[in-house]
Amino acid sequence: MESIQLSIKGMKCGGCVSTVEKILNNSDGIENVSVNLLTESAYFEITQNHIKIETVLKNLKENGFPSKIYINDFSKKINKTELEKKKKWNNQWKKLTFALLLLLFSGLGHLAEGRYINSPILGNIFFHASLATLALLFPGRVIIINGFKSFIKNRPDMDSLVALGVTSSYTTSLLSLIFPATGFPCFFNEPVMLLGFILIGRFLEERARYQTGSSIGELLDLQPEMANIYTEDNQIKSIRVNTLRPDQEIQVLAGDRVPADCIVIQGNSYVDVSHITGESKPIEIKEGENLSSGSLNLNSTLRLKVQKVGGDSSLAKLVNLIESVNARKPRIQRIADEIAGKFTYFVLIFATLTFFFWWMCARKIWPDLLSHNHQFFTHSNHTLHSSLGSNADNFLSLAIQLSIAVLVIACPCALGLATPTVITVASGKAAKKGVLFKGGDKIEMASKINHIIFDKTGTLTKGKPFIVGYKYNYDNSFLLRIAASLEKESRHPIANALIQEAKKQNLSLFPIKKIFTYSGRGISGELESIDGLINIGNIEWLLSKGTIIDSDAKKVIENEETKTNTIIGVSIKDKLLGFIFLGDLLRDDSIKTVQNLRENKFKINILSGDRKQTVLALAKKIGCKETEVKWDLLPEMKLKTIENLKINSKVAMIGDGINDVPALACSDLGIAVGSGTQIAKANADVVLMGDQLNGLPYALNLAKKTIRKIKQNLTWAFGYNLLAIPLAAGILFPKYGILLTPSLAALLMAVSSITVVINALSLD
């Protein structure tokens, strides 16, 4: 199954999102479709090899949504970002300038018509007709064409409502000018002001929308354009970063950023890696240590060997992961998009009913309504053409103007932007703190979590065990040599501790003949030059494998001094060779993180495969009761515990290793520590980058704030339309004489969208 991301143009509102999703869902071989209005992108999976993506792109283009496959080439992405940004802003500024000129001339025309300034040309009705014609032909042309295309294809959207409103007001005014006897209103100023306000609104909206996605741009800015490489004669040569290749050696001066994932081969320095971990404190790096692309070298020159470049680098993967957040919508957004998809139909029906009500019914209910001297919302003494309702002398004129106001004031755009703006802002803020959510739906789930399960080794502890000592054996070196030889193909932290200690002692390791892994318990196999099956693991497992552990050996491991250490036993056949004691350091922020979570009313449990004494010793340090911890657990036992807790709680599991993967997948929210294994991070819903846990309380708190913001936005979007549409339809006119002009309706519509985006940006 292949995942595809498309860049889509032409989407203006939630109705467009719904239409694009229907087109993709109706295409054979496409599943799991998600469309995002904010990022103008679509995500889906192809389930059939024979499907032609060109056919899908053609179908979208024919329906008014020209699309292309998203460029995932990291170097091209960097090079094109600034160019596309400048091009987009140039186009936006041109439209804004035109809109402001239209509004300026329209305003001057009002003043001239009211005789506040002396300019016969500006006050002439033909000047206003020409101005309105220019507005429709130039800045309004794309909106009108796209709007009517969507309307004809039975998928009306925001542009359809605006197009109908603008052309209706223009056509009525034109008929009134040519055939005065019709009694139609003549208000050429309305389409001019309507388009002007809409273009201003879209400019401000685009500007605010760009700010919501600024975190990705900031990450792309971390990639330098040039790199200094060492030539064969050890000279320095400057080349473009996209030509870098693995195994090349480069020079990074103080103040420069690392252009690729590298390993330090000469020098030491302090480096800022806050873009990866969210931790602003610089770290000291030395020879042999790894550096991620985008890291800032602070004070000394380094010689590095390139490991991964371009799209394989950690910076590229980080950008891709943040972008992929938009691929999975929270449930609340899917509901909003579904409503927005039907919203334009409701507006069209309501506008039609408004027209017929004021034309056919209002005269019977309020026969003297127009003869009364009402105080209108807007008032004009213009003699050539009028603002809405101010000089309406018949119900047909009033009906036309009110139905146009209904079309213009409705705002499905706010509904479409209410959720994705907040999700994008939240994921960007989380990334800056070293927290990566793998989808908007994961943020939604994180907001519901009330019970947190911690693994011990590698999660609450640093996951870098070290050998404390050896017991019940006669040759420590031989014991270590056997254990390290069999563990050398394992990725477990204990295996790494054994191998590193063997290297320090310059011990040669035996080749492996056979090997079998028992997750959470131990490892067994055969080594060359050693006769018999070797077992390495916890005591209970060794006993189950037939290893003889006498009373003297049991006394050794039950000694008070050894209770806080992890113990593994090594046996050949059924004979116990000895015990290896290992210690592990608590993460620096484990205690503070658990305390913070408790203060925020989260329930805490620790599930560990270690023995009782070791787990209880750690629990005491971080302030957990004995009833809140469990020990000697196999992976399937952790799984069962979590399944039971999920009956009454929303459970998050935090782990780091291969044996934690089932529990991460089973929990409502799987959270992996960034220093853990790749498989754990791949199967988690949230990743805490670096070696810190303090991002966890922040992430859960941010998720709650995010959902609150989404609800605020949706409340505003629904509430605005619920109040604005009846107001535009003239509900207050009979009693209070209050009406809205189409241009004012357009302004309110634009303000509604901008309000939603600004509210999203206020997330902290």
Side-chain angles (χ1 to χ4, degrees):
M1 188 177 289
E2 181 184 0
S3 297
I4 298 289
Q5 180 179 347
L6 299 181
S7 297
I8 301 179
K9 294 182 180 179
M11 294 194 297
K12 296 294 187 297
C13 64
C16 300
V17 170
S18 181
T19 300
V20 172
E21 285 189 341
K22 286 177 182 176
I23 292 171
L24 293 173
N25 280 318
N26 291 334
S27 301
D28 292 335
I30 288 180
E31 291 183 357
N32 301 324
V33 175
S34 178
V35 180
N36 190 288
L37 174 63
L38 179 69
T39 58
E40 297 177 315
S41 54
Y43 309 81
F44 55 87
E45 292 176 343
I46 295 177
T47 59
Q48 299 176 12
N49 294 330
H50 67 271
I51 186 173
K52 292 185 177 180
I53 194 67
E54 293 78 12
T55 305
V56 178
L57 297 177
K58 182 180 179 182
N59 193 10
L60 286 168
K61 185 176 182 180
E62 288 174 351
N63 282 275
F65 302 105
S67 309
K68 61 182 179 180
I69 296 177
Y70 179 70
I71 295 176
N72 206 22
D73 186 313
F74 191 60
S75 60
K76 290 182 180 178
K77 196 182 294 185
I78 293 168
N79 294 335
K80 293 184 75 172
T81 298
E82 282 301 316
L83 293 175
E84 289 181 353
K85 189 194 304 181
K86 289 178 181 178
K87 184 179 178 181
K88 192 170 186 178
W89 280 115
N90 284 336
N91 291 334
Q92 289 291 335
W93 273 109
K94 287 177 183 177
K95 290 180 181 179
L96 179 63
T97 303
F98 209 115
L100 291 174
L101 286 173
L102 289 176
L103 290 175
L104 175 62
F105 282 115
S106 182
L108 291 174
H110 271 272
L111 294 174
E113 191 178 344
R115 298 182 182 178
Y116 295 106
I117 61 175
N118 184 19
S119 177
I121 296 176
L122 292 177
N124 190 288
I125 187 64
F126 292 102
F127 171 77
H128 287 273
S130 301
L131 199 63
T133 304
L134 286 172
L136 267 65
L137 288 177
F138 293 99
R141 184 175 70 246
V142 174
I143 295 174
I144 293 168
I145 292 173
N146 290 339
F148 278 112
K149 276 184 178 179
S150 300
F151 185 76
I152 292 168
K153 291 181 178 180
N154 194 29
R155 50 169 187 79
D157 55 18
M158 188 72 230
D159 280 354
S160 301
L161 299 179
V162 174
L164 286 169
V166 171
T167 53
S168 297
S169 59
Y170 178 80
T171 303
T172 344
S173 301
L174 196 61
L175 289 173
S176 175
L177 180 63
I178 300 172
F179 307 107
T182 58
F184 286 170
C186 183
F187 49 112
F188 282 115
N189 60 308
E190 293 300 347
V192 174
M193 298 187 73
L194 193 153
L195 283 171
F197 284 134
I198 285 173
L199 290 172
I200 290 174
R202 287 191 177 178
F203 172 81
L204 295 174
E205 181 187 314
E206 283 292 330
R207 184 177 178 85
R209 283 167 65 175
Y210 169 75
Q211 290 177 329
T212 64
S214 61
S215 59
I216 292 178
E218 290 174 6
L219 285 174
L220 291 174
D221 289 340
L222 297 179
Q223 179 69 59
E225 292 184 6
M226 307 298 291
N228 295 327
I229 67 167
Y230 286 95
T231 61
E232 291 182 359
D233 56 354
N234 210 35
Q235 298 298 308
I236 298 296
K237 179 183 177 182
S238 185
I239 63 170
R240 298 194 69 83
V241 166
N242 57 5
T243 62
L244 267 181
R245 295 292 177 264
D247 295 327
Q248 286 183 317
E249 294 185 6
I250 62 173
Q251 180 193 64
V252 178
L253 302 173
D256 287 350
R257 291 197 177 272
V258 179
D261 288 356
C262 302
I263 186 169
V264 181
I265 57 176
Q266 185 178 320
N268 57 11
S269 182
Y270 280 90
V271 176
D272 179 0
V273 293
S274 57
H275 70 292
I276 294 290
T277 65
E279 175 59 54
S280 58
K281 186 178 178 180
I283 62 169
E284 184 178 7
I285 57 99
K286 302 173 183 177
E287 290 183 19
E289 295 187 4
N290 294 313
L291 273 179
S292 299
S293 56
S295 301
L296 178 63
N297 182 21
L298 295 176
N299 60 345
S300 298
T301 300
L302 296 172
R303 183 165 182 155
L304 311 174
K305 187 174 184 178
V306 176
Q307 303 288 305
K308 295 179 180 178
V309 298
D312 294 327
S313 69
S314 56
L315 181 61
K317 290 178 178 178
L318 182 60
V319 169
N320 290 338
L321 189 56
I322 296 175
E323 288 178 332
S324 70
V325 170
N326 302 304
R328 305 189 65 172
K329 297 181 182 181
R331 181 174 174 272
I332 194 170
Q333 183 179 346
R334 293 191 178 278
I335 295 172
D337 284 347
E338 189 174 339
I339 294 172
K342 297 178 174 61
F343 182 72
T344 45
Y345 290 100
F346 164 76
V347 175
L348 289 170
I349 293 170
F350 197 87
T352 304
L353 292 175
T354 299
F355 174 79
F356 283 106
F357 174 80
W358 286 105
W359 181 31
M360 307 297 293
C361 303
R363 69 179 70 212
K364 297 177 182 178
I365 302 172
W366 305 291
D368 300 325
L369 181 64
L370 295 181
S371 62
H372 292 171
N373 184 22
H374 288 291
Q375 179 65 42
F376 298 110
F377 197 74
T378 58
H379 184 76
S380 173
N381 293 319
H382 299 176
T383 56
L384 294 176
H385 61 286
S386 60
S387 296
L388 173 58
S390 61
N391 287 314
D393 54 5
N394 63 72
F395 283 97
L396 175 60
S397 172
L398 188 62
I400 292 171
Q401 297 173 64
L402 286 171
S403 59
I404 292 171
V406 170
L407 289 171
V408 172
I409 204 167
C411 194
C413 191
L415 286 174
L417 290 171
T419 301
T421 48
V422 185
I423 292 295
T424 303
V425 170
S427 59
K429 286 185 175 293
K432 290 178 182 178
K433 293 287 187 179
V435 179
L436 299 180
F437 287 98
K438 293 186 180 179
D441 55 337
K442 308 307 179 188
I443 297 178
E444 185 176 34
M445 178 52 70
S447 72
K448 301 175 182 178
I449 295 299
N450 55 17
H451 202 137
I452 299 174
I453 307 296
F454 283 97
D455 174 48
K456 173 186 164 287
T457 305
T459 303
L460 290 169
T461 65
K462 292 185 176 181
K464 297 179 180 179
F466 53 92
I467 295 176
V468 175
Y470 309 87
K471 296 287 184 181
Y472 204 72
N473 68 293
Y474 302 101
D475 188 342
N476 293 346
S477 295
F478 182 69
L479 178 65
L480 175 61
R481 189 180 178 196
I482 292 288
S485 296
L486 197 60
E487 294 274 13
K488 66 184 177 185
E489 292 185 4
S490 172
R491 295 291 303 276
H492 196 280
I494 288 178
N496 186 60
L498 297 172
I499 295 164
Q500 292 303 317
E501 184 63 26
K503 285 182 178 179
K504 286 182 183 178
Q505 297 184 25
N506 295 317
L507 299 177
S508 60
L509 302 183
F510 298 106
I512 295 175
K513 291 168 62 178
K514 293 181 182 179
I515 187 169
F516 306 95
T517 300
Y518 299 85
S519 182
R521 289 172 284 187
I523 190 169
S524 65
E526 296 180 8
L527 299 174
E528 289 186 9
S529 304
I530 303 296
D531 182 29
L533 183 69
I534 300 166
N535 291 314
I536 305 172
N538 62 49
I539 308 306
E540 291 74 13
W541 180 70
L542 288 177
L543 288 169
S544 70
K545 299 292 286 185
T547 301
I548 299 172
I549 301 180
D550 58 29
S551 57
D552 291 336
K554 288 181 179 178
K555 286 180 182 178
V556 169
I557 60 177
E558 290 172 358
N559 189 292
E560 284 294 328
E561 295 179 2
T562 66
K563 282 185 177 181
T564 59
N565 296 320
T566 298
I567 301 176
I568 61 169
V570 181
S571 69
I572 300 177
K573 295 181 181 178
D574 62 351
K575 181 183 177 182
L576 179 67
L577 200 61
F579 300 117
I580 301 177
F581 290 76
L582 298 109
D584 197 358
L585 297 175
L586 200 65
R587 287 187 188 271
D588 298 335
D589 58 348
S590 290
I591 297 173
K592 185 177 180 181
T593 297
V594 172
Q595 289 176 345
N596 193 330
L597 291 170
R598 286 191 186 282
E599 289 170 1
N600 285 284
K601 311 301 180 184
F602 288 100
K603 296 177 183 177
I604 306 293
N605 283 108
I606 300 173
L607 303 183
S608 176
D610 280 351
R611 62 189 187 132
K612 179 178 179 179
Q613 293 86 348
T614 305
V615 178
L616 288 178
L618 178 135
K620 186 177 180 180
K621 289 180 182 178
I622 64 174
C624 284
K625 302 175 183 176
E626 184 172 341
T627 55
E628 295 175 325
V629 299
K630 290 189 177 184
W631 49 87
D632 291 330
L633 297 179
L634 300 176
E636 55 267 30
M637 297 166 69
K638 288 184 181 180
L639 203 64
K640 186 66 176 177
T641 303
I642 291 173
E643 286 175 345
N644 290 334
L645 291 173
K646 282 173 63 178
I647 296 172
N648 298 312
S649 303
K650 292 294 182 184
V651 180
M653 168 72 190
I654 301 96
D656 75 305
I658 294 174
N659 61 332
D660 295 321
V661 171
L664 291 173
C666 170
S667 61
D668 294 301
L669 189 76
I671 304 173
V673 181
S675 57
T677 61
Q678 288 299 322
I679 190 170
K681 288 186 279 189
N683 284 274
D685 303 313
V686 182
V687 178
L688 304 177
M689 304 300 288
D691 294 322
Q692 302 296 315
L693 286 176
N694 55 19
L696 179 59
Y698 173 82
L700 297 175
N701 187 41
L702 179 68
K704 286 180 171 26
K705 290 181 179 179
T706 299
I707 299 304
R708 281 200 296 269
K709 280 290 181 186
I710 289 174
K711 290 178 178 177
Q712 288 172 12
N713 274 356
L714 289 174
T715 300
W716 164 256
F718 281 114
Y720 162 82
N721 285 297
L722 191 65
L723 295 173
I725 292 175
L727 182 61
I731 193 172
L732 299 180
F733 183 51
K735 187 172 183 179
Y736 301 103
I738 295 177
L739 291 170
L740 299 180
T741 66
S743 54
L744 183 56
L747 179 61
L748 290 174
M749 182 271 290
V751 169
S752 177
S753 297
I754 296 166
T755 301
V756 163
V757 181
I758 290 175
N759 188 47
L761 288 169
S762 68
L763 181 69
D764 55 17

